[in-house]
Amino acid sequence: MTTLAGIGSTPRSGVGVARWYRPEANLTLPNRPDPSAVDPEVQRERFASAREAAREGIRRARDRAAERAGEEEAAVFDAHEAFLDDPGLVDDVESAIDDGTLAEHAVRDRFDEAVERFERMDGRMAERADDLRDVCDRLLRALLDAPTATDLASLPAGTVLLAERLTPSETADLDPETVAGIATVAGGRTSHAAIIARSLSIPAVVGVGEALAEIADGTEVLVDGEAGEIVVDPDESQRAAALNDDASVVPEPVSTADGRPIEVAANVGSAAELSPARDRGADGIGLFRTEFLFLDRESPPDEEEQYEAVVAALEAFPNDRVVVRTLDVGGDKRVPYLDLPEEPNPFLGRRGIRLSLEEHADLFERQLRALLRAAAHGGNEAAAGDLAVMFPMVSRIEEVEAALDAVESVAADLADEGVEHAVPELGAMVETPAAAFLADALANRLDFLSVGTNDLAGYVMVADRENDGVADYHDPLHPAVLRAIDRTTRGAEGTHAWVGMCGEMAGDPALTELLVGLGLEELSMSAVTVPAVKTRVREVDSAAARDLAEEALACETRGEVREVVGLDG
């Protein structure tokens, strides 16, 4: 029995038979011809055709990932498509072609150079190299008319997939019902492939190193995604523990060691994610993304379809809270039939609640009707959970007051029509610095606030997480972001409003003590990390957590924060 150490990516365990995935096996480039024998016009046409084929493949992969892993995780493929149109990469490839290089060699050469540049960088920037590899692989397979070496969607049941690395596309192809685990030589916890693996609840350990290559096909392997270990030829007790992975699920609500209750909920982006969230012990839904109802169709859903979707969520979590976010489109979330405005910087334009109160007030009213009807579902029989509704991208008090007026108006209309309804808890996402600074005023008007760390980090640091040039700035552990979170929780003190958090940060057990110390009362995350966070909550002492938070808030650099919370600098 041999144990190899890596980085735990998905905190689950699985055991199965090792199978190596080597996608380069049938991706052999032809010999380079003499430049004088190359027709640049023909090669440019081949490159243009390959780009369109790759674009179609990326869009199919996006749809598949959205269906399986959720809309937020699928957004990575928007960045992949952007690589196909990147002027620097396209111009470099076409210049090489003009100099007499075959299209496939020009693609490989230029993308390899870009990958190498990324790998010399730190943190998240280095992990973007896998996204470039993904796009390069698609282009080369289109140019060479080469199928993938292995059908990842049809692996034998009980497969533990071993690879040098996996791209987001490859990971999205995996069937969580048949893949017992993933282990890779390279990679990090925050890579897009690792995030998709977590969303699919596939046990995963990344960054194991070259020692992984010593494992032969057919070997029995245990993947412990919580401990970050790969066990070769596990003994019977280890095998039994891995196969009984659900024993780690904590079905009941949890409190800190000194008795402070912390709600641990799940983020849900599709109806298919409801059962897995319940099975992993989630205390309800902390973020129900209604965007999935509006995607991949020719027209928006009607009131009844939206009502039924929310009722299904409530019935999946009887007696628990279900927090529904009203339609959050704009920015990087495009819905063609809504005719969203073309803006030079859509992240700083009309999105979220701004669109709901202006261009799409009719859609907002329709959604509110469905939500208020759903809030009354089940009557007093507790047949369904308690509904809460939150408004996205709030930055002004006037927006909140207008949204509350809209709710009141819809309630009055439903009453006039004799339609059963109720007004649910109402809250706002804290995703902008403005909302953090106005937290006290928001908390005085609303029932709750939910910190959206992904957008909050981006707006505080003025850094798009999909922009490779500033990806390293997009870090929720930067002192400025932590102080925005602290400003939010302190603003709600003395009011009846509770404060929660949704996003990747909430789902990292290594940060649970810090978040409890910052005053969060609810943490919502990808369902797969719920058991690990619940277990960690039980170990936290509130006083010690507050001391940790104060120490982190006093830091001036993110390196200092990471050292304080026990992460690598």
Side-chain angles (χ1 to χ4, degrees):
M1 182 180 68
T2 303
T3 300
L4 306 178
I7 301 167
S9 172
T10 305
R12 296 195 67 182
S13 296
V15 62
V17 176
R19 176 169 182 159
W20 273 94
Y21 173 60
R22 296 182 173 91
E24 68 282 358
N26 65 343
L27 201 58
T28 303
L29 272 62
N31 293 329
R32 293 176 186 262
D34 185 278
S36 62
V38 174
D39 184 338
E41 185 175 344
V42 170
Q43 297 306 312
R44 274 178 170 262
E45 290 177 358
R46 292 182 66 224
F47 177 49
S49 296
R51 286 174 64 200
E52 289 313 304
R55 193 183 312 278
E56 291 178 8
I58 288 170
R59 290 177 178 176
R60 287 195 298 271
R62 191 196 192 289
D63 291 343
R64 186 166 57 251
E67 180 181 352
R68 287 183 164 188
E71 181 61 29
E72 188 161 335
E73 287 75 11
V76 58
F77 294 104
D78 296 334
H80 286 204
E81 187 169 349
F83 279 135
L84 289 176
D85 301 316
D86 182 271
L89 285 170
V90 172
D91 290 349
D92 283 351
V93 170
E94 292 181 340
S95 293
I97 287 173
D98 291 341
D99 290 338
T101 304
L102 287 178
E104 48 265 51
H105 286 291
V107 167
R108 170 60 64 81
D109 293 346
R110 299 306 173 261
F111 273 78
D112 280 355
E113 290 171 3
V115 165
E116 186 177 347
R117 284 198 302 272
F118 276 110
E119 288 185 328
R120 288 197 297 264
M121 301 178 188
D122 296 324
R124 293 167 58 91
M125 292 290 284
E127 292 169 352
R128 292 307 301 275
D130 285 343
D131 297 320
L132 273 172
R133 288 189 183 91
D134 201 330
V135 177
C136 180
D137 182 81
R138 288 186 183 279
L139 288 169
L140 291 178
R141 292 192 185 282
L143 287 164
L144 300 170
D145 194 24
T148 56
T150 304
D151 183 1
L152 293 177
S154 302
L155 292 170
T159 294
V160 170
L161 193 67
L162 309 183
E164 174 71 23
R165 55 173 45 85
L166 288 173
T167 66
S169 295
E170 291 162 344
T171 308
D173 272 341
L174 299 176
D175 183 351
E177 296 298 320
T178 59
V179 177
I182 297 169
T184 63
V185 173
R189 189 180 188 279
T190 59
S191 70
H192 287 131
I195 290 171
I196 291 174
R198 272 198 298 284
S199 297
L200 294 173
S201 297
I202 298 175
V205 176
V206 299
V208 178
E210 294 302 327
L212 189 70
E214 298 176 10
I215 300 177
D217 280 326
T219 305
E220 187 174 53
V221 174
L222 185 154
V223 178
D224 186 339
E226 189 162 356
E229 294 179 342
I230 301 298
V231 181
V232 181
D233 294 323
D235 61 32
E236 191 58 41
S237 63
Q238 292 171 315
R239 188 183 300 109
L243 293 174
N244 193 32
D245 176 62
D246 284 343
S248 63
V249 171
V250 182
E252 67 276 0
V254 294
S255 299
T256 60
D258 56 312
R260 177 181 160 193
I262 302 293
E263 186 176 332
V264 183
N267 297 338
V268 169
S270 69
E273 296 177 51
L274 292 170
S275 291
R278 185 181 60 242
D279 294 344
R280 299 301 288 170
D283 299 331
I285 299 173
L287 171 60
F288 186 82
R289 302 182 180 101
T290 57
E291 295 81 62
F292 81 91
L293 295 168
F294 290 76
L295 300 171
D296 300 321
R297 56 193 301 157
E298 300 299 322
S299 59
D302 61 22
E303 179 183 326
E304 196 63 27
E305 183 179 350
Q306 295 185 66
Y307 166 78
E308 291 173 357
V310 175
V311 165
L314 290 166
E315 291 181 338
F317 287 89
N319 305 311
D320 291 323
R321 179 160 46 208
V322 173
V323 182
V324 175
R325 181 176 67 190
T326 59
L327 183 61
D328 185 17
V329 293
D332 60 339
K333 300 170 185 172
R334 311 295 298 178
V335 181
Y337 61 80
L338 291 184
D339 193 27
L340 298 176
E342 292 291 336
E343 299 174 301
N345 191 333
F347 284 96
L348 300 181
R350 287 168 287 180
R351 56 176 301 202
I353 193 65
R354 298 174 183 179
L355 286 172
S356 292
L357 294 174
E358 297 172 9
E359 288 95 329
H360 296 299
D362 55 335
L363 289 181
F364 189 46
E365 179 182 349
R366 183 187 306 169
Q367 187 167 51
L368 289 178
R369 285 180 61 90
L371 289 169
L372 266 62
R373 287 175 55 206
H377 179 76
N380 296 319
E381 300 176 2
D386 296 321
L387 183 65
V389 173
M390 62 182 175
F391 310 119
M393 293 306 301
V394 166
S395 58
R396 298 192 299 183
I397 296 300
E398 293 90 335
E399 292 169 338
V400 171
E401 292 178 339
L404 294 177
D405 287 345
V407 171
E408 184 177 346
S409 175
V410 166
D413 288 344
L414 290 170
D416 289 344
E417 297 166 19
V419 176
E420 187 178 7
H421 68 282
V423 176
E425 278 191 304
L426 298 172
M429 293 281 287
V430 177
E431 304 167 273
T432 66
F437 280 119
L438 293 170
D440 53 348
L442 294 172
N444 279 319
R445 290 168 169 80
L446 297 165
D447 300 303
F448 69 97
L449 305 175
S450 183
V451 181
T453 53
N454 294 340
D455 273 322
L456 182 62
Y459 286 121
V460 168
M461 299 306 299
V462 197
D464 176 5
R465 59 178 170 160
E466 298 300 341
N467 183 331
D468 299 318
V470 295
D472 212 32
Y473 285 80
H474 193 284
D475 188 346
L477 287 180
H478 191 283
V481 181
L482 293 186
R483 292 173 192 178
I485 296 169
D486 181 62
R487 180 74 176 246
T488 302
T489 56
R490 289 185 184 276
E493 289 178 357
T495 73
H496 73 285
W498 56 270
V499 182
M501 173 184 286
C502 52
E504 281 289 311
M505 187 182 191
D508 189 344
L511 303 180
T512 301
E513 184 178 12
L514 173 65
L515 298 180
V516 170
L518 286 170
L520 278 303
E521 302 167 66
E522 178 246 31
L523 302 173
S524 188
M525 63 210 66
S526 174
V528 70
T529 60
V530 165
V533 171
K534 278 192 159 185
T535 298
R536 184 71 188 101
V537 166
R538 286 174 160 175
E539 301 167 349
V540 171
D541 175 80
S542 296
R546 186 60 204 173
D547 289 343
L548 176 70
E550 292 290 356
E551 190 175 356
L553 290 166
C555 293
E556 297 180 347
T557 69
R558 65 176 186 152
E560 292 173 359
V561 173
R562 294 179 68 84
E563 185 175 349
V564 164
V565 299
L567 300 174
D568 294 333

